[in-house]
Amino acid sequence: MTSSTPALATRTAEGSALQAVLLDLDGTLVDTEGFWWEVECEVFAELGHVLTEPHRQVVVGGPMSRSAAYLIEVTGADISVPELSEELKARFTARVEGGVPLMPGVRRLLTELAAHRVPAAVVSASHRVNIDCMLRSLGPENFALSVAGDEVGHTKPHPEPYLTAARRLGADPARCAVIEDTATGVASAEAAGCRVVAVPSVAPIERTPERLVVDSIEEIDLGFLRSMIAVVS
């Protein structure tokens, strides 16, 4: 466990203004970003195309419609966006139904949040059917609620998913700590006014004065999250 606290901290853990912790799912809580990439490569191979690492850097963390449209455009594959989206979703769902591996440190962090009665919520671009499958591995009892990509009008990088989670929890977005693994998710949370710690999974994420970046959730504990939240006057 890291003993350091974020430079932006203005309160100790004991006097924190933290109201909730909002967490991305794929690549943050569960190690599934590789699942998505394997499925995408598999489908495009059947269509006669090879996806390469630069393609992965573009689609990681993005909504399905955007990722599908991009991959069709760069490969020229003979398939529509709706057809590709449905095929990718079906194959991904089949892969996660049997359980998913958790990222390092996740079980310990969720247990700590629950023990201190800090509300936690999943905020994901994944669809409800996939979230519910993955929550079985995470323990649905660890979360007050979850927000799925097919339950909001605009998904990440739009702020709506995080604003929706904060509103449903009765929390001020500025007093919510967010853990994200992609630039798309970080943009969504920051646009909602949340404080963000990034744990990059596939593509690097730039550190800024208002954004923390760590290598693993193993570096994050409740004290760390509480110290992220500035005093709200």
Side-chain angles (χ1 to χ4, degrees):
M1 183 65 56
T2 181
S3 59
S4 62
T5 56
L8 55 81
T10 57
R11 277 196 177 188
T12 65
E14 292 73 19
S16 173
L18 178 69
Q19 292 181 343
V21 179
L22 313 179
L23 306 108
D24 175 55
L25 186 58
D26 292 288
T28 299
L29 293 178
V30 293
D31 191 6
T32 52
E33 289 293 1
F35 288 15
W36 278 113
W37 181 239
E38 289 166 9
V39 165
E40 288 159 348
C41 288
E42 180 181 280
V43 170
F44 274 87
E46 293 172 7
L47 293 169
H49 299 277
V50 176
L51 300 183
T52 59
E53 188 62 25
H55 298 141
R56 186 182 189 186
Q57 299 289 327
V58 174
V59 301
V60 63
M64 177 64 69
S65 58
R66 189 195 74 186
S67 298
Y70 166 79
L71 292 173
I72 291 171
E73 180 181 0
V74 296
T75 62
D78 185 18
I79 189 171
S80 70
V81 170
E83 289 171 334
L84 177 58
S85 297
E86 288 304 313
E87 184 64 25
L88 293 175
K89 285 187 290 185
R91 296 197 191 198
F92 181 80
T93 299
R95 292 199 178 205
V96 301
E97 280 180 340
V100 291
L102 274 56
M103 298 296 283
V106 165
R107 181 69 69 196
R108 185 265 312 152
L109 178 60
L110 293 178
T111 299
E112 185 179 14
L113 294 178
H116 289 83
R117 298 183 179 180
V118 177
V122 165
V123 182
S124 175
S126 289
H127 285 201
R128 171 55 57 191
V129 62
N130 289 332
I131 289 178
D132 288 345
C133 283
M134 291 184 272
L135 283 177
R136 291 199 293 268
S137 296
L138 288 161
E141 69 278 2
N142 290 310
F143 303 97
L145 59 89
S146 56
V147 177
D150 56 341
E151 296 172 342
V152 292
H154 302 88
T155 190
K156 303 173 186 179
H158 196 278
E160 183 180 348
Y162 282 104
L163 291 174
T164 298
R167 183 181 68 252
R168 289 175 58 189
L169 289 170
D172 178 353
R175 292 185 173 183
C176 293
V178 169
I179 304 178
E180 269 282 359
D181 74 306
T182 68
T184 299
V186 167
S188 172
E190 290 182 342
C194 303
R195 306 309 296 266
V196 181
V197 54
V199 189
S201 61
V202 176
I205 297 175
E206 181 183 0
R207 186 186 305 270
T208 73
E210 296 299 311
R211 178 194 310 150
L212 298 164
V213 180
V214 299
D215 292 329
S216 169
I217 284 181
E218 291 183 308
E219 299 179 47
I220 302 172
D221 61 7
L222 180 55
F224 183 104
L225 296 170
R226 283 174 166 167
S227 69
M228 291 169 57
I229 307 302
V231 175
V232 180
S233 58

